[in-house]
Amino acid sequence: MRQRHALIPTLRETPSDAEAASHQLLLRAGFIRQLAAGIYTYLPLGRKVLRKLEAIVREEMDHTQAQEILMPAMQPAELWHESGRHSVYGPELIRFQDRNSREFTLGPTHEEVVTSLIRDEINSYRKLPVIVYQIQSKFRDERRPRFGLLRGREFVMKDAYSFDTSWEGVDQAYQAMYSAYHRIFDRCGLKFRAVEADAGAIGGEGGTHEFMALTDIGEDTIVTCESCGYAANLERAVSRMPAEGFNGSDPLNHLDRLDIERIATPHMKTIDQLVHFLNVSADQLIKTLIYIADGQPVAVCVRGDHEVNETKLKNFLNADSLELADADTVARATGAPSGYIGPMQLSIALYVDQEAARMDSAITGANLTGFHLRHVRPGRDFTLEHTADLRNVEEGDLCIHCESSLKLTRGIEIGHIFKLGTKYSEPLKASFVDAEGKEQPILMGCYGIGISRLLSAVVEQSHDAFGIVWPFSISPFHVHIVPVSVQDMTQMQLAESLYAQLGQLGADVLLDDREERPGVKLKDADLIGIPIRIVVGKKAGEGLIEWKERGEAEVLVLTSEEAIELITLKLRGAVN
Amino acid sequence: MRQRHALIPTLRETPSDAEAASHQLLLRAGFIRQLAAGIYTYLPLGRKVLRKLEAIVREEMDHTQAQEILMPAMQPAELWHESGRHSVYGPELIRFQDRNSREFTLGPTHEEVVTSLIRDEINSYRKLPVIVYQIQSKFRDERRPRFGLLRGREFVMKDAYSFDTSWEGVDQAYQAMYSAYHRIFDRCGLKFRAVEADAGAIGGEGGTHEFMALTDIGEDTIVTCESCGYAANLERAVSRMPAEGFNGSDPLNHLDRLDIERIATPHMKTIDQLVHFLNVSADQLIKTLIYIADGQPVAVCVRGDHEVNETKLKNFLNADSLELADADTVARATGAPSGYIGPMQLSIALYVDQEAARMDSAITGANLTGFHLRHVRPGRDFTLEHTADLRNVEEGDLCIHCESSLKLTRGIEIGHIFKLGTKYSEPLKASFVDAEGKEQPILMGCYGIGISRLLSAVVEQSHDAFGIVWPFSISPFHVHIVPVSVQDMTQMQLAESLYAQLGQLGADVLLDDREERPGVKLKDADLIGIPIRIVVGKKAGEGLIEWKERGEAEVLVLTSEEAIELITLKLRGAVN
């Protein structure tokens, strides 16, 4: 492609509303433009990367024998009622009516559509297993779209669905996808980790893994054990309880026989404030939070130095919805405002984290404005009937498998695979007749990759102060030819000749034929980040060019033949 | 692909609700399935054809230097307000609100989005010309979705947009697209015609051509001249007026001096009824219709044997909306019901087709229930102030260019190209600064291809009593290998060996490894319509196979080596 008339609008300034480095760079280098919050146009460079990502995903999907299909974005709302998700999905699901007032949704995912398809087309074990996939724009009306392509409202996804007669079959399909995902993300040049995860709104009774690109700005937290390889999403991660009898910073345990004592704590509403005011450590406190679970208020206790894990709580309660209670509800349920709530004498159900439950004595709220209680003893002073792991793992907690210290890192979810089992096939009645003539629900799995998000994840991991550093495999172009002066006939002849020859080799080449100053051209080249840059300058008359790889400092002076040979090798994958 | 676990659900029965042959065959052969009215899932075979069509379109677009981008389907309604199309587009435009009550539309086309993009990114003549294109799902809430993919509500389209500084530039871009479209449809194996057309809702001040696939079930009528090559959509087509003085079947012209005479015509409300009752020919009558144009009633006269062309009328009136008036409006405007309306003494504006205007004498309605008038003379008895070509061309009319007889045929619109000029750049303020430093509106063109519709158009043109007959270039597979018995080791060995060898040659091969009777397999093979069928049967032991091309009766017995050689030639495009 010739750059003069290419739509590559680079920007000198960093757009003020772009927080993430990938968002800034994709805008500045002219890969994407925003049309509305969380909704982007892919300009020629962005579209090219997207197509290369799609090609890699397609190859690896075809390799697993998955069959490509294309389902509609417009989905009849009835299907979502059948699966029960119409009410559960909330405002992220875009809904509208057609001209005949029939209700539709814009597909954020396609479990309902694909299950109804298979229900209608397959009814014998002889036609199974089947895996189908598609690459398509999806819609999710995010509350807070941000970070450019990382959290958008319209995005490109690969979604695959497997249909099996047995759990062994599901395991095989899952394993095939697990391996394919590793190959895909490897080929994209990503640093990533497969982690155990929570199934969330997709649901299902089997296992589930998230694939996380490791970056600083990731919205997700990953818990990893360096010694045994354990890795899980924070929502899902568990740690080992310390040995019995440990009680925060109070090893002497002299408080357990003391009576409860009320202490005035005016304006002391946070753990931090209490820690300073009472001169204790946070692990001597219990904090109590009020949630609304499926419309009912419940109380939850964790140790003062811990955080409630809402996913664990929601799963333990088997609740469809869970949110922190507002001030009114808190006051009505406990008689006191937030900051002074405690677990004693509550009229609502109480759920206690297992480590809070093991404390010998704790400081808690008094359910009375301006007061806390000291020497409160779990089990003696409040019920431990509902006790479970309800907290987030913290940095330094012990690995559940090997007792090493756990580490917390951040990541971007780039893929997610689920063993669904019968979660959709049962309500939608997708069944097959087995070899004995018995009707059984089909067992499913589903497997997603956020393709447009990959674009951002790669840039997030692979950039420097000057711009993007594309991996060769997914770069919009392989080679950027930059003649120093387009007025110089000798330079332009060599540049055009290289452009033609490399094109015939199958290389994607961008030729900067713009009448710009060399400094502007080289700045743009760094910003765009094509892996090989060939500057054709003063030595063009001798057939020499300057060879520089993006991300490397070294500049080589090569003959044009040497350059062509090197690129031939790169294209063959012989050199990295 | 192995057919045993492929999702190719063929049907024996013709689906009752499918009218068009292409719709029936695409359903029966397992290419598509309906999810809701006008909304389809592309199964693996359908997706494969779609991908081949997309590849051809992409190659030819890239060849014109158009740059691929991807715009969102979700479009802010404000852009449609800016262009003025939000109110004009009507219920075909799908509208919805996001979670913050901001209005959006689902893109049926992208003039607004692309014009706003270019407005923001290009402002100098130095960056022009630019052509961009995308391949994407579009949404149009059709009143009557039908014929499968021919008139759907969600469909795959290629839309391209050109941006130029001069009309010469627009002409060049238009010509490049015109040529590219010819190459694309040729490569798809289509019989088609480029015809002059009306710009419709897309609008624009330049020319416009439709590309029509010629089929019996086409929803459009095309007017063609076999001698000079003139071709136009019926909406747009014009014909030459016969020589002066001709007046239907009354060459003697003795009626022109007679006075108007009232005749009782009880219950005679149609042209047919009047022709029989009065024993005259239809070209001696004038029919008068009442329309509502932008809210105002207007009357239109055409000769009794002619039909009003609503596109010509709408353009002549320069109206945004035009529809036939309801009975109440007709009665209020004329004092009589439909069937008895005439052009005399009307209180509303009257528009007369040029051939009706030239009649010496005519029979018209009397604007009185049960009566018509005889010897009405245009110009004498009613005004000819507004006279124009307002009728449809009829079979046998004379060509405007060469006076040969015109023919009417039916067609499916598969592509449409427009010179838009400043229709969008002016309201959306997309301008550039020219070489003299003067600001001017950018001149645009737009160019669409209904890619999913191509699939149906090809099948409509290319099928027989047994199923589809795919052109080699876009067939889901090149070769269908059908072993007669999968139990026969010799047959299966040869079939598998061919499958592997052909795969290595780059051929797409479907291997029917199903345990079905040979009759079932061959019926399915005919239905699916892959161009080359290789049956591996009793002679497998001698290395012989049966070679049959779809659409040909001949069956050849070839060695497997000969078969491979033939396919190699076909893949090279050396043999057709």
Side-chain angles (χ1 to χ4, degrees):
Chain A
M1 192 183 281
R2 287 161 197 280
Q3 208 164 338
R4 185 190 292 252
H5 292 298
L7 187 59
I8 307 177
T10 53
L11 307 172
R12 288 285 152 264
E13 305 290 314
T14 299
S16 60
D17 54 345
E19 299 165 71
S22 58
H23 189 192
Q24 292 171 2
L25 287 170
L26 289 170
L27 286 170
R28 282 189 52 207
F31 283 70
I32 58 170
R33 282 297 180 266
Q34 182 176 289
L35 176 62
I39 301 175
Y40 290 85
T41 292
Y42 300 84
L43 301 182
L45 292 182
R47 185 66 182 117
K48 271 176 129 10
V49 177
L50 212 49
R51 298 240 318 128
K52 296 205 175 182
L53 291 167
E54 288 169 10
I56 290 173
V57 169
R58 224 169 230 133
E59 267 180 47
E60 295 297 343
M61 282 297 111
D62 292 347
H63 186 71
T64 69
Q65 307 302 320
Q67 304 171 57
E68 186 175 0
I69 64 174
L70 180 62
M71 291 180 274
M74 275 178 77
Q75 307 186 357
E78 295 107 80
L79 283 176
W80 286 75
H81 286 297
E82 271 187 70
S83 74
R85 282 209 293 182
H86 196 262
S87 53
V88 176
Y89 218 91
E92 282 185 12
L93 185 64
I94 293 173
R95 299 147 208 251
F96 63 95
Q97 297 194 330
D98 73 0
R99 63 196 293 154
N100 302 313
S101 306
R102 277 193 60 182
E103 281 186 20
F104 280 86
T105 67
L106 268 186
T109 170
H110 278 70
E111 283 81 11
E112 282 80 0
V113 173
V114 79
T115 307
S116 81
L117 173 74
I118 296 299
R119 162 184 73 190
D120 295 343
E121 305 304 337
I122 292 184
N123 42 44
S124 159
Y125 72 98
R126 268 181 301 209
K127 302 274 187 180
L128 294 169
V130 158
I131 308 180
V132 293
Y133 77 96
Q134 61 174 352
I135 294 176
Q136 192 204 34
S137 285
K138 297 272 192 283
F139 304 86
R140 203 169 292 173
D141 200 357
E142 293 281 353
R143 192 167 58 86
R144 276 196 62 199
R146 59 182 183 147
F147 297 148
L149 306 180
L150 285 180
R151 184 164 292 277
R153 298 200 286 173
E154 178 172 344
F155 49 96
V156 180
M157 232 181 109
K158 184 283 298 179
D159 44 332
Y161 305 89
S162 66
F163 301 88
D164 278 279
T165 59
S166 69
W167 275 104
E168 292 73 46
V170 177
D171 289 343
Q172 265 177 36
Y174 191 86
Q175 195 50 50
M177 286 291 158
Y178 188 89
S179 305
Y181 277 37
H182 274 82
R183 286 193 301 272
I184 289 167
F185 301 133
D186 276 338
R187 289 180 63 181
C188 296
L190 280 163
K191 292 180 281 292
F192 69 97
R193 206 65 197 254
V195 307
E196 294 175 17
D198 186 73
I202 305 282
E205 62 231 64
T208 170
H209 280 89
E210 280 173 359
F211 289 79
M212 291 286 186
L214 308 173
T215 64
D216 294 337
I217 61 130
E219 291 190 295
D220 288 283
T221 302
I222 312 164
V223 177
T224 54
C225 172
E226 307 265 300
S227 18
C228 78
Y230 171 73
N233 190 317
L234 182 63
E235 289 181 346
R236 160 91 180 188
V238 291
S239 57
R240 182 179 289 263
M241 285 231 276
E244 193 73 49
F246 175 83
N247 181 19
S249 62
D250 183 22
L252 293 182
N253 198 8
H254 64 280
L255 300 168
D256 62 346
R257 269 145 299 151
L258 297 179
D259 285 339
I260 290 173
E261 181 184 306
R262 196 167 89 175
I263 38 181
T265 51
H267 313 301
M268 299 293 138
K269 296 170 74 170
T270 68
I271 297 292
D272 266 4
Q273 289 168 334
L274 285 167
V275 160
H276 285 105
F277 183 70
L278 300 175
N279 194 23
V280 294
S281 60
D283 59 6
Q284 293 177 285
L285 277 65
I286 280 182
K287 65 180 166 198
T288 308
L289 293 132
I290 309 299
Y291 281 88
I292 309 283
D294 289 346
Q296 294 299 319
V298 298
V300 185
C301 288
V302 293
R303 224 167 60 188
D305 57 335
H306 289 159
E307 297 298 329
V308 174
N309 181 313
E310 296 187 359
T311 304
K312 291 179 182 176
L313 176 60
K314 192 171 167 186
N315 289 341
F316 186 70
L317 296 172
N318 198 17
D320 282 335
S321 75
L322 182 79
E323 50 182 353
L324 266 178
D326 57 39
D328 278 0
T329 310
V330 171
R332 223 172 315 121
T334 67
S338 296
Y340 300 105
I341 313 302
M344 286 182 63
Q345 291 161 327
L346 286 176
S347 58
I348 58 177
L350 177 67
Y351 297 85
V352 184
D353 175 66
Q354 59 189 6
E355 293 196 48
R358 282 175 53 187
M359 292 169 77
D360 290 315
S361 167
I363 297 161
T364 76
N367 292 326
L368 185 64
T369 306
F371 292 93
H372 280 76
L373 304 177
R374 206 200 284 277
H375 312 318
V376 176
R377 191 168 166 78
R380 179 189 75 180
D381 302 324
F382 60 88
T383 175
L384 295 178
E385 195 183 335
H386 307 301
T387 299
D389 174 8
L390 299 175
R391 72 169 180 98
N392 283 340
V393 167
E394 306 266 330
E395 178 97 28
D397 280 356
L398 303 184
C399 175
I400 188 100
H401 298 296
C402 74
E403 299 193 47
S404 302
S405 281
L406 292 171
K407 275 189 62 174
L408 269 59
T409 51
R410 300 194 71 74
I412 297 167
E413 184 190 336
I414 47 178
H416 204 159
I417 58 179
F418 298 88
K419 295 181 190 173
L420 294 172
T422 60
K423 178 173 163 74
Y424 295 92
S425 52
E426 274 194 342
L428 287 155
K429 302 191 179 57
S431 59
F432 69 98
V433 175
D434 68 15
E436 279 77 47
K438 229 183 85 201
E439 194 168 332
Q440 293 194 40
I442 296 177
L443 295 166
M444 291 174 56
C446 77
Y447 317 92
I449 290 180
I451 293 186
S452 42
R453 182 181 271 195
L454 281 184
L455 216 155
S456 286
V458 168
V459 175
E460 206 57 56
Q461 285 187 355
S462 189
H463 68 268
D464 62 18
F466 307 107
I468 306 172
V469 183
W470 286 108
F472 196 76
S473 58
I474 61 166
S475 176
F477 292 94
H478 298 119
V479 183
H480 202 165
I481 301 177
V482 184
V484 170
S485 162
V486 294
Q487 308 295 355
D488 184 312
M489 290 293 284
T490 315
Q491 289 182 20
M492 278 313 284
Q493 259 170 12
L494 183 56
E496 289 280 1
S497 150
L498 273 168
Y499 181 64
Q501 289 180 73
L502 290 172
Q504 277 174 345
L505 285 175
D508 282 330
V509 188
L510 183 63
L511 172 64
D512 192 346
D513 55 352
R514 295 177 300 163
E515 294 196 22
E516 295 277 5
R517 282 177 293 112
V520 170
K521 290 183 172 189
L522 296 180
K523 267 216 171 79
D524 277 350
D526 278 346
L527 187 56
I528 294 169
I530 297 168
I532 299 167
R533 190 184 75 192
I534 293 179
V535 173
V536 182
K538 290 202 179 129
K539 295 189 180 157
E542 306 159 53
L544 295 175
I545 58 92
E546 285 182 10
W547 168 287
K548 182 173 177 302
E549 300 189 23
R550 185 72 183 88
E552 308 286 334
E554 210 171 53
V555 177
L556 304 179
V557 176
L558 303 180
T559 64
S560 59
E561 292 76 22
E562 286 169 335
I564 288 172
E565 200 170 331
L566 258 181
I567 291 164
T568 310
L569 289 173
K570 290 235 178 212
L571 285 171
R572 279 202 210 123
V575 173
N576 271 315
Chain B
M1 191 184 280
R2 287 160 198 279
Q3 209 165 338
R4 187 190 291 251
H5 292 299
L7 186 59
I8 307 177
T10 53
L11 306 172
R12 288 286 151 264
E13 306 289 317
T14 300
S16 61
D17 54 345
E19 301 165 69
S22 58
H23 189 193
Q24 292 170 3
L25 287 170
L26 289 170
L27 287 170
R28 282 188 53 207
F31 282 69
I32 58 170
R33 282 296 181 268
Q34 183 178 287
L35 176 63
I39 301 174
Y40 290 85
T41 291
Y42 300 83
L43 300 183
L45 292 183
R47 185 66 182 117
K48 271 176 132 2
V49 178
L50 212 49
R51 297 243 313 131
K52 296 203 175 183
L53 291 168
E54 288 169 9
I56 289 174
V57 169
R58 222 167 233 136
E59 267 181 46
E60 296 297 344
M61 282 299 109
D62 291 346
H63 186 71
T64 69
Q65 307 302 322
Q67 304 172 58
E68 187 175 358
I69 64 174
L70 179 62
M71 291 180 274
M74 276 178 77
Q75 307 185 357
E78 295 107 80
L79 282 177
W80 287 74
H81 287 297
E82 271 188 69
S83 73
R85 283 208 294 182
H86 196 262
S87 52
V88 176
Y89 217 90
E92 281 185 12
L93 185 65
I94 294 173
R95 298 147 208 253
F96 63 94
Q97 298 193 331
D98 73 359
R99 63 195 297 156
N100 301 315
S101 306
R102 275 195 61 183
E103 282 186 21
F104 281 86
T105 68
L106 268 187
T109 171
H110 279 69
E111 282 82 10
E112 282 79 0
V113 173
V114 80
T115 307
S116 81
L117 173 74
I118 296 298
R119 163 184 71 191
D120 295 344
E121 304 304 336
I122 292 184
N123 42 42
S124 160
Y125 73 97
R126 269 180 300 210
K127 301 274 188 180
L128 293 170
V130 158
I131 308 180
V132 294
Y133 77 96
Q134 60 173 354
I135 293 176
Q136 191 204 36
S137 285
K138 297 272 191 281
F139 303 85
R140 202 168 293 173
D141 200 356
E142 294 281 352
R143 193 168 57 87
R144 277 194 63 197
R146 59 182 182 147
F147 296 148
L149 306 180
L150 286 181
R151 184 164 292 278
R153 298 200 285 173
E154 178 172 343
F155 50 95
V156 180
M157 232 181 111
K158 184 283 298 179
D159 44 332
Y161 306 89
S162 66
F163 301 87
D164 279 279
T165 58
S166 68
W167 275 104
E168 291 72 47
V170 177
D171 289 343
Q172 265 178 35
Y174 192 85
Q175 195 50 52
M177 285 291 159
Y178 188 89
S179 306
Y181 277 37
H182 273 82
R183 288 193 300 273
I184 289 168
F185 301 134
D186 276 338
R187 289 179 63 182
C188 296
L190 280 164
K191 291 180 282 292
F192 68 97
R193 209 61 200 256
V195 306
E196 293 177 15
D198 186 75
I202 303 282
E205 62 231 64
T208 170
H209 279 88
E210 280 173 1
F211 289 79
M212 291 284 186
L214 307 174
T215 64
D216 295 337
I217 60 132
E219 292 190 295
D220 288 283
T221 301
I222 312 164
V223 176
T224 55
C225 172
E226 306 265 300
S227 13
C228 77
Y230 172 71
N233 190 318
L234 183 63
E235 289 180 346
R236 160 91 180 186
V238 290
S239 57
R240 181 178 289 263
M241 285 230 277
E244 194 72 50
F246 176 82
N247 181 19
S249 60
D250 184 22
L252 293 181
N253 197 9
H254 65 282
L255 299 168
D256 62 346
R257 268 145 298 146
L258 296 179
D259 285 339
I260 290 173
E261 182 183 307
R262 196 169 89 176
I263 38 180
T265 50
H267 313 304
M268 300 292 137
K269 297 171 71 170
T270 67
I271 296 291
D272 266 4
Q273 289 168 335
L274 284 167
V275 160
H276 284 104
F277 182 69
L278 299 175
N279 194 23
V280 295
S281 61
D283 58 6
Q284 294 177 282
L285 279 65
I286 281 180
K287 63 181 168 196
T288 308
L289 293 136
I290 310 299
Y291 280 88
I292 309 284
D294 288 346
Q296 294 299 317
V298 297
V300 185
C301 287
V302 292
R303 224 166 60 186
D305 58 334
H306 290 159
E307 298 296 331
V308 173
N309 181 313
E310 297 187 359
T311 304
K312 291 180 182 175
L313 177 60
K314 192 171 166 186
N315 289 341
F316 186 70
L317 295 172
N318 198 16
D320 281 335
S321 75
L322 181 79
E323 51 183 352
L324 266 177
D326 57 37
D328 279 359
T329 309
V330 172
R332 224 173 313 122
T334 67
S338 295
Y340 300 106
I341 312 304
M344 287 180 63
Q345 289 160 328
L346 287 175
S347 58
I348 58 176
L350 176 66
Y351 297 86
V352 184
D353 175 64
Q354 57 189 9
E355 294 197 47
R358 282 176 53 187
M359 293 169 76
D360 290 315
S361 167
I363 296 162
T364 75
N367 292 327
L368 184 65
T369 306
F371 292 92
H372 279 77
L373 303 178
R374 205 199 285 279
H375 311 317
V376 174
R377 189 167 167 78
R380 179 189 74 181
D381 301 325
F382 59 89
T383 176
L384 295 179
E385 194 184 335
H386 307 302
T387 299
D389 174 8
L390 299 175
R391 70 169 181 97
N392 283 339
V393 168
E394 306 267 327
E395 177 98 28
D397 280 355
L398 303 184
C399 175
I400 188 100
H401 299 295
C402 73
E403 300 195 46
S404 303
S405 282
L406 292 171
K407 276 188 61 173
L408 268 59
T409 51
R410 300 194 71 74
I412 297 166
E413 184 190 335
I414 48 178
H416 205 159
I417 58 178
F418 299 87
K419 295 181 190 171
L420 293 171
T422 60
K423 180 176 161 72
Y424 296 92
S425 53
E426 275 196 341
L428 287 156
K429 301 190 179 59
S431 59
F432 69 98
V433 174
D434 67 16
E436 280 74 50
K438 229 183 85 201
E439 195 167 333
Q440 294 195 40
I442 296 177
L443 294 166
M444 291 173 55
C446 77
Y447 317 92
I449 290 180
I451 294 186
S452 43
R453 183 181 270 197
L454 281 184
L455 216 154
S456 286
V458 168
V459 175
E460 205 57 56
Q461 286 188 354
S462 189
H463 68 268
D464 62 18
F466 307 107
I468 306 172
V469 183
W470 286 108
F472 196 77
S473 59
I474 61 166
S475 176
F477 292 95
H478 298 118
V479 184
H480 201 166
I481 301 177
V482 184
V484 170
S485 163
V486 295
Q487 307 295 354
D488 184 312
M489 289 292 284
T490 314
Q491 288 181 21
M492 280 312 285
Q493 259 170 12
L494 183 55
E496 290 280 2
S497 150
L498 273 169
Y499 181 64
Q501 288 180 73
L502 290 173
Q504 277 173 344
L505 285 176
D508 281 331
V509 188
L510 183 63
L511 172 64
D512 191 347
D513 56 350
R514 295 177 300 162
E515 294 197 21
E516 294 280 3
R517 283 176 294 111
V520 169
K521 290 184 173 189
L522 296 181
K523 268 216 173 77
D524 277 351
D526 278 346
L527 187 56
I528 293 168
I530 296 167
I532 299 167
R533 190 185 77 192
I534 292 178
V535 173
V536 183
K538 290 203 177 127
K539 295 188 179 159
E542 304 158 54
L544 296 175
I545 58 93
E546 285 181 11
W547 170 285
K548 183 174 175 303
E549 299 189 25
R550 186 73 182 86
E552 308 285 336
E554 210 171 53
V555 177
L556 304 179
V557 177
L558 303 179
T559 65
S560 59
E561 291 78 20
E562 287 169 334
I564 288 172
E565 200 169 330
L566 260 181
I567 291 164
T568 309
L569 289 174
K570 291 233 178 216
L571 285 172
R572 278 201 212 127
V575 173
N576 272 315

